[in-house]
Amino acid sequence: MRLSIRHDTTYHYDDQVRASIQYLRLTPQESERQHVISWQLDLPRPARAQRDPYGNILHVLTLDEPHESIVIGARGQVDIDEHQDAEHDRQSALPFLRFTRLTQPDEALREFAASQCKERRDRSALTDLMQALNARITYQPGTTQVESTAAEAFAGGVGVCQDHAHAFLACVRSLGVPARYVSGYLYTESSTHLSSHAWAEAWLGDAWYSFDVTNCLTRPERHLKLAVGLDYLDACPVRGMRRGGGGEQMHARVLVSPLMQVQQQ
Amino acid sequence: MARVFYDEMYDANGHCRPHYQEFARWLADTPPELLAQRRREADLLFHRAGITFTLYGDEQGTERLIPFDTIPRSIPASEWRIVERGCIQRVKALNMFLADLYHDQRILKAGIIPPEQVLANEQYQLAMQGLDLHRDIYSHISGVDLVRDGDGTYYVLEDNLRTPSGVSYMLEDRKMMMRLFPELFAVQRIAPIDHYPNLLLDTLRSSSPLDNPSVVVLTPGRFNSAYFEHAFLAREMGVELVEGADLFVRDDRVYMRTTAGPRQVDVIYRRLDDAFLDPLAFNPDSMLGVPGLLAAYRSGNVVLANAIGTGVADDKSVYPFVTDMVRFYLDEEPILKNVPTWQCRKPEELSHVLANLPELVVKETQGSGGYGMLVGPAASAAEIEAFRTRLKARPEAYIAQPTLCLSTCPTFVETGIAPRHIDLRPFVLSGRETRLVPGGLTRVALREGSLVVNSSQGGGTKDTWIVED
């Protein structure tokens, strides 16, 4: 499936910002699952691409002229191979066993994971876990914050895709299985869920497998991956800081649409 | 249980050891009132110089003077040369380990260290994976903590490869001794240490591929317990002392704000933990770091000393493998010994530890500064039971070691002069070459019988002499 993406993020500030810096993970990369046809970032100032610690493509945007708004645009076309559901990796997955503040499991999460999976550590066990978490944490925008932890969302029983992914990571890592956070885009016919999306991947011996708790999907057919990390903070599309500016309003507009495949003759 | 302690000054028969004889003679000849007066003078001078230490876990953030003892800790030069070679060997191996771990991971493939032990360790930094550092040096400044057991054998208690502190006390203690008792330095050859700031600056400069790099000291600020030392070292080296807010990143380069406009910074001697370096990459709440620093670092445009991710090599759960690292990377036998260590993550070792708690020292693998540690022989039954519960709950977070009979050194106490337990922290500098100034920081546990020398736990310091024999 070929997806066309248009993602514009606009920040408006109440006062003038003296300087700002953003870590942008808004560029997908080639993998077994996705082929990038075209991609471009529209930034207020040129930024050089580099790799971040997780191998993601990172742009660091530094603005030191006073500004009152920032517009960050990303657009392009990517082919998703629906038949590939695993991603291989030459690096060890062991670093993805560690917990972070956002993915620290409490007793409740540990027990939940253990009761769902018992001694099983395979794909079907994690699929059961994914479904159980989907039932346990109801998708409800506006109920949690970006700083909400897995344990908080689990206790509250409501959250968004980020919380689903964090809760899944906390559970899976507590079982001794490496797992990572994925940020990207999702194509859905109904637009009840934002097209900017988060899901999780777990390392099952030979490759990374996807688990989208929010949609109960283990085949990432309509998922375009932007970045991975230990949690939201590592993988989120935009993470920035600024001096001055006062309050801020952020508007993100994402359009994900399928393109008709051109018949190859 | 009778314990035999090795005393640095007197042998088992009570005879003064040769390298202490000049000092003993001087001590016998000097009137006690004069010594007492000099000690008061020292306190006053230290206070005036602002050499204080902020106590963690103290609500008031009390600044306290680290007690300074005027009886030096002395080591014969012939003995020191062995210790020195041992420290250099160890730090070389540790740097090679870090370079290997963040690249080919030969030591893991060889089965010498279990991969999960280091790769799943919180101190292992993915940010360092595959990153090439100038001269392959990760720990430019290392503090190797040494103690001596009952027969005088030196043991490495821990390696400090993150932001080891205490070198300012080493330098100030020497200045104080020379000021109070210049005559002692006239009658014998005591190796000088005042060139440490020069060596440090040279080490920092040589960590950059540039010919004339600009160097700064990055401090978390005046509320940090070692702020005095950060300011001291910056002043001694003649470089700027900066806080995170004084630096900024533009286009993957680090600049310092100055009255004359931005000035690029090439080497940062950072006294800030990894987690606080860059709020955009690590702890987002950190107000102490520099947003964008990690990207600049990974682009090769600035050197951090020490590098990010050295903590994985000085983690107490990795400590048991350091002697193997020496053999693996250098093909040499370790000159300095490790303290035998039980790893509580292993069930059979845990049961040994639980059965012998009253005799053991138990430490948190992530801990430092003497917090969260049990000294079995000195603990009450209730303290031991409380620790037993913690151990059972999270065995992987602890290691245990036999209680060493730390050596003693005569020390001024309220009742006169009495032996107190000491350790030694030499500071190893790794750059073009690996070297150290003779001696290091001697810490002394001032409470009678105490084995905990950390200044946060009531420890003091002594001048450390390397005496030609």
Side-chain angles (χ1 to χ4, degrees):
Chain A
M1 175 182 283
R2 180 165 297 181
L3 294 179
S4 165
I5 311 291
R6 198 194 155 92
H7 180 185
D8 295 308
T9 312
T10 310
Y11 295 89
H12 282 291
Y13 305 104
D14 297 344
D15 303 320
Q16 213 166 51
V17 174
R18 290 194 299 276
S20 67
I21 177 165
Q22 327 274 337
Y23 277 14
L24 308 175
R25 290 176 203 85
L26 280 166
T27 306
Q29 48 184 318
E30 293 282 316
S31 74
E32 294 158 82
R33 283 194 49 250
Q34 59 191 30
H35 170 55
V36 182
I37 315 281
S38 64
W39 198 268
Q40 74 174 79
L41 291 189
D42 298 316
L43 304 176
R45 221 177 137 252
R48 198 176 56 81
Q50 59 171 286
R51 297 278 172 173
D52 81 356
Y54 300 91
N56 305 310
I57 298 174
L58 174 77
H59 289 82
V60 183
L61 175 65
T62 47
L63 299 176
D64 48 11
E65 300 290 324
H67 50 282
E68 274 155 359
S69 65
I70 301 177
V71 183
I72 296 163
R75 76 193 65 200
Q77 293 179 12
V78 177
D79 273 343
I80 306 292
D81 183 346
E82 289 113 286
H83 308 294
Q84 288 283 355
D85 57 357
E87 230 178 82
H88 298 85
D89 200 337
R90 280 172 37 248
Q91 298 283 2
S92 167
L94 287 170
F96 293 93
L97 271 176
R98 78 188 76 177
F99 301 109
T100 61
R101 199 182 65 78
L102 295 176
T103 59
Q104 184 68 45
D106 56 3
E107 231 11 76
L109 277 164
R110 283 180 192 276
E111 277 172 26
F112 188 79
S115 70
Q116 293 300 323
C117 299
K118 307 272 184 330
E119 300 306 311
R120 299 180 302 146
R121 296 290 182 272
D122 56 5
R123 203 171 170 194
S124 82
L126 298 194
T127 305
D128 292 347
L129 176 67
M130 172 187 80
Q131 285 163 347
L133 273 176
N134 174 284
R136 178 65 186 255
I137 303 175
T138 309
Y139 182 85
Q140 201 173 311
T143 49
T144 49
Q145 320 283 321
V146 281
E147 310 86 42
S148 296
T149 65
E152 285 162 4
F154 187 78
V158 284
V160 293
C161 54
Q162 175 188 325
D163 305 302
H164 279 145
H166 282 158
F168 185 81
L169 296 176
C171 286
V172 172
R173 289 178 192 157
S174 79
L175 299 171
V177 176
R180 62 189 189 183
Y181 187 97
V182 187
S183 115
Y185 301 110
L186 172 72
Y187 166 64
T188 50
E189 277 107 355
S190 70
S191 56
T192 50
H193 294 172
L194 274 179
S195 335
S196 265
H197 192 47
W199 61 97
E201 285 179 339
W203 180 262
L204 292 169
D206 61 335
W208 292 104
Y209 291 86
S210 296
F211 296 89
D212 179 348
V213 178
T214 311
N215 298 295
C216 266
L217 291 173
T218 54
R219 297 187 63 85
E221 294 166 335
R222 297 166 167 204
H223 295 64
L224 194 171
K225 182 193 285 192
L226 279 179
V228 298
L230 281 169
D231 63 22
Y232 164 83
L233 288 168
D234 293 331
C236 59
V238 182
R239 186 168 161 187
M241 289 192 93
R242 56 191 162 88
R243 293 161 62 85
E248 98 179 14
Q249 294 87 44
M250 194 269 278
H251 298 286
R253 199 174 57 123
V254 187
L255 290 173
V256 182
S257 47
L259 287 179
M260 296 302 288
Q261 291 278 11
V262 178
Q263 287 293 322
Q264 302 283 322
Q265 295 298 322
Chain B
M1 186 168 52
R3 289 180 166 277
V4 186
F5 300 115
Y6 182 92
D7 193 85
E8 302 286 343
M9 189 159 166
Y10 299 104
D11 67 19
N13 302 318
H15 299 303
C16 185
R17 298 183 193 276
H19 64 287
Y20 260 112
Q21 263 157 13
E22 286 291 349
F23 180 79
R25 204 170 300 138
W26 171 87
L27 190 62
D29 291 350
T30 310
E33 313 81 67
L34 181 66
L35 290 172
Q37 188 205 322
R38 292 285 159 84
R39 288 202 303 282
R40 283 193 298 275
E41 221 171 290
D43 279 353
L44 197 69
L45 289 166
F46 272 129
H47 253 307
R48 213 175 278 161
I51 305 177
T52 54
F53 188 93
T54 314
L55 222 52
Y56 286 121
D58 181 325
E59 305 276 317
Q60 278 83 46
T62 314
E63 291 209 348
R64 199 165 69 178
L65 199 65
I66 294 191
F68 167 67
D69 185 65
T70 48
I71 299 180
R73 186 265 182 84
S74 184
I75 301 170
S78 54
E79 187 177 298
W80 166 252
R81 279 188 274 274
I82 299 168
V83 173
E84 181 181 40
R85 276 200 294 123
C87 287
I88 290 172
Q89 178 193 53
R90 196 165 167 107
V91 169
K92 274 187 180 168
L94 284 161
N95 268 311
M96 291 172 82
F97 167 67
L98 285 161
D100 181 31
L101 186 61
Y102 288 121
H103 288 87
D104 300 336
Q105 306 184 338
R106 287 193 298 124
I107 198 163
L108 306 185
K109 289 169 188 155
I112 291 168
I113 303 178
E116 64 277 9
Q117 194 79 17
V118 283
L119 297 181
N121 190 305
E122 268 180 54
Q123 300 296 327
Y124 177 81
Q125 291 284 2
L126 280 159
M128 298 305 293
Q129 216 163 253
L131 196 68
D132 296 330
L133 299 187
H134 189 56
R135 299 183 198 281
D136 285 337
I137 289 170
Y138 290 74
S139 182
H140 306 83
I141 299 103
S142 315
V144 180
D145 286 354
L146 299 166
V147 294
R148 303 179 77 178
D149 199 13
D151 62 0
T153 307
Y154 283 88
Y155 286 88
V156 178
L157 204 53
E158 60 187 47
D159 307 285
N160 295 278
L161 311 179
R162 302 176 207 195
T163 55
S165 63
V167 80
S168 57
Y169 303 116
M170 172 185 93
L171 295 168
E172 287 289 326
D173 287 356
R174 173 60 56 86
K175 271 192 220 160
M176 189 62 76
M177 284 301 278
M178 293 182 78
R179 178 165 179 170
L180 297 179
F181 311 112
E183 63 275 21
L184 280 170
F185 294 84
V187 293
Q188 59 197 319
R189 280 191 54 201
I190 298 162
I193 56 170
D194 57 352
H195 54 303
Y196 179 84
N198 286 335
L199 291 191
L200 176 61
L201 183 58
D202 185 61
T203 302
L204 293 169
R205 284 207 172 122
S206 74
S207 71
S208 164
L210 302 175
D211 286 338
N212 193 18
S214 76
V215 178
V216 298
V217 177
L218 173 62
T219 174
R222 59 187 68 253
F223 298 108
N224 184 271
S225 66
Y227 179 74
F228 162 77
E229 177 159 304
H230 309 157
F232 173 90
L233 289 174
R235 190 175 65 234
E236 292 286 315
M237 289 192 288
V239 306
E240 296 287 340
L241 175 71
V242 299
E243 295 185 25
D246 300 322
L247 301 179
F248 69 94
V249 171
R250 184 189 155 100
D251 296 338
D252 295 333
R253 289 175 193 281
V254 182
Y255 296 89
M256 173 171 58
R257 297 172 216 279
T258 76
T259 47
R263 206 181 88 199
Q264 196 177 336
V265 171
D266 305 308
V267 178
I268 300 176
Y269 177 29
R270 50 94 171 208
R271 296 292 298 258
L272 194 60
D273 291 342
D274 287 357
F276 298 100
L277 282 175
D278 180 350
L280 292 182
F282 303 110
N283 184 347
D285 305 322
S286 170
M287 290 292 138
L288 306 172
V290 186
L293 180 57
L294 182 70
Y297 181 60
R298 284 176 48 86
S299 300
N301 293 331
V302 68
V303 172
L304 292 175
N306 291 349
I308 293 172
T310 53
V312 68
D314 72 8
D315 187 270
K316 291 189 181 68
S317 67
V318 174
Y319 163 88
F321 301 103
V322 179
T323 45
D324 292 329
M325 293 177 197
V326 171
R327 295 187 188 98
F328 185 75
Y329 295 112
L330 301 171
D331 200 18
E332 292 171 9
E333 267 310 297
I335 297 166
L336 292 170
K337 289 190 170 145
N338 254 20
V339 181
T341 302
W342 290 282
Q343 302 175 56
C344 301
R345 68 185 171 88
K346 297 185 180 171
E348 66 282 7
E349 301 197 7
L350 174 66
S351 48
H352 172 89
V353 171
L354 290 173
N356 295 281
L357 275 182
E359 279 87 59
L360 300 176
V361 174
V362 186
K363 299 174 179 173
E364 278 185 275
T365 53
Q366 300 281 341
S368 69
Y371 298 97
M373 123 182 203
L374 174 81
V375 181
S380 68
E383 283 168 329
I384 290 178
E385 286 321 302
F387 230 86
R388 187 185 304 279
T389 314
R390 287 161 67 180
L391 257 171
K392 283 181 178 165
R394 287 182 61 220
E396 71 283 0
Y398 296 93
I399 55 147
Q401 295 171 334
T403 309
L404 292 182
C405 309
L406 262 54
S407 65
T408 58
C409 184
T411 301
F412 276 106
V413 295
E414 274 176 28
T415 52
I417 295 177
R420 288 292 181 269
H421 294 292
I422 57 168
D423 78 349
L424 176 66
R425 175 179 287 184
F427 294 90
V428 184
L429 298 173
S430 304
R432 243 182 313 271
E433 51 190 313
T434 308
R435 54 194 169 165
L436 40 169
V437 297
L441 175 67
T442 294
R443 297 184 296 181
V444 52
L446 292 173
R447 261 192 305 137
E448 189 175 0
S450 170
L451 297 172
V452 185
V453 296
N454 303 74
S455 43
S456 50
Q457 308 283 317
T461 65
K462 285 170 171 290
D463 190 14
T464 308
W465 291 359
I466 305 303
V467 182
E468 281 303 336
D469 48 349

